[in-house]
Amino acid sequence: STADIQKSINKYRNLSISHKQLSRIKQYDHLIDYFTEFSYVAPRHKVSGDFVRALILAESNGKTNAVSHKNALGLGQIKYSTGKEAAKILSRSTVHFRYVDKSTLANLKRDDLFNPAVNILLTCYLIAKYNHKFDGKLELVLSAWNAGEYTPSLASNRHAPYQETENLIGKVNGYYLFFLKNRYY
């Protein structure tokens, strides 16, 4: 419900980021800045670098080798099946990405998701896709990210009704606000 989302947003509203977290995320700035320059799904629609930073901190705390209890991998915590599907689409695009070659995308292996460049590219593509599909509504974009884009509640324009998803929405929102208020670079 909206009340549950608001509770999570309020819970994480004043998140701060430690120097260690900033240092960890800052090492990926060149990749985040590069991969957020592309319009993956619709012309002139780009993903916010600060949103990607917030998502990475909320999902993996900036650790490239992170593995969730649901076997989501790397910085953005991407499931291999989702990553492989997205990588195939990107491998067929006309865009040539610096840092990630087409053959890696075409033949994505599970361990490739631990490569920061691959993971950030796929994160940017998937967030762009969900932003477009769900009209940029944060709670729906993050529900698709966390619970899957075909979660039944999303078809009714409602967030995924899971505590984990609601906490992710709150954390990403809190980190995102931190980055928007505190230009650290």
Side-chain angles (χ1 to χ4, degrees):
S1 76
T2 304
D4 293 329
I5 290 286
Q6 196 56 52
K7 208 182 308 180
S8 287
I9 288 173
N10 288 339
K11 178 179 176 182
Y12 297 104
R13 179 177 312 273
N14 296 313
L15 275 180
S16 62
I17 299 174
S18 71
H19 291 292
K20 186 175 183 177
Q21 287 173 304
L22 282 176
S23 174
R24 203 178 288 142
I25 199 74
K26 194 165 181 55
Q27 67 184 315
Y28 307 115
D29 274 354
H30 69 289
L31 296 171
I32 293 168
D33 292 344
Y34 176 73
F35 289 121
T36 56
E37 281 302 309
F38 294 93
S39 297
Y40 295 95
V41 180
R44 296 180 308 279
H45 289 274
K46 297 179 182 175
V47 176
S48 162
D50 287 335
F51 185 85
V52 172
R53 287 177 186 87
L55 179 66
I56 287 171
L57 279 179
E59 286 286 33
S60 69
N61 203 23
K63 296 178 182 173
T64 59
N65 61 346
V67 179
S68 77
H69 66 282
K70 292 185 180 179
N71 211 25
L73 309 168
L75 291 169
Q77 292 291 275
I78 300 172
K79 289 188 115 180
Y80 177 57
S81 58
T82 303
K84 191 170 174 100
E85 181 182 319
K88 283 252 188 264
I89 292 166
L90 289 171
S91 75
R92 293 189 296 257
S93 79
T94 58
V95 177
H96 293 280
F97 301 103
R98 191 176 344 141
Y99 308 112
V100 179
D101 61 67
K102 294 279 185 159
S103 64
T104 298
L105 293 172
N107 304 296
L108 191 76
K109 307 286 185 263
R110 179 186 180 277
D111 285 352
D112 291 332
L113 291 174
F114 296 117
N115 175 326
V118 171
N119 199 288
I120 292 170
L121 168 60
L122 295 175
T123 297
C124 290
Y125 166 75
L126 289 165
I127 290 299
K129 176 183 173 185
Y130 301 152
N131 263 333
H132 187 262
K133 184 173 183 174
F134 299 108
D135 297 320
K137 295 177 183 163
L138 177 78
E139 70 276 7
L140 302 182
V141 170
L142 289 170
S143 289
W145 182 264
N146 184 256
E149 69 179 293
Y150 302 110
T151 300
S153 62
L154 292 173
S156 303
N157 212 27
R158 290 178 291 121
H159 76 277
Y162 310 118
Q163 185 66 50
E164 178 183 329
T165 302
E166 291 166 354
N167 283 335
L168 180 67
I169 293 166
K171 283 181 186 177
V172 171
N173 187 66
Y175 286 138
Y176 189 42
L177 289 173
F178 177 90
F179 284 124
L180 292 175
K181 290 177 190 171
N182 302 287
R183 303 313 296 184
Y184 73 98
Y185 37 83

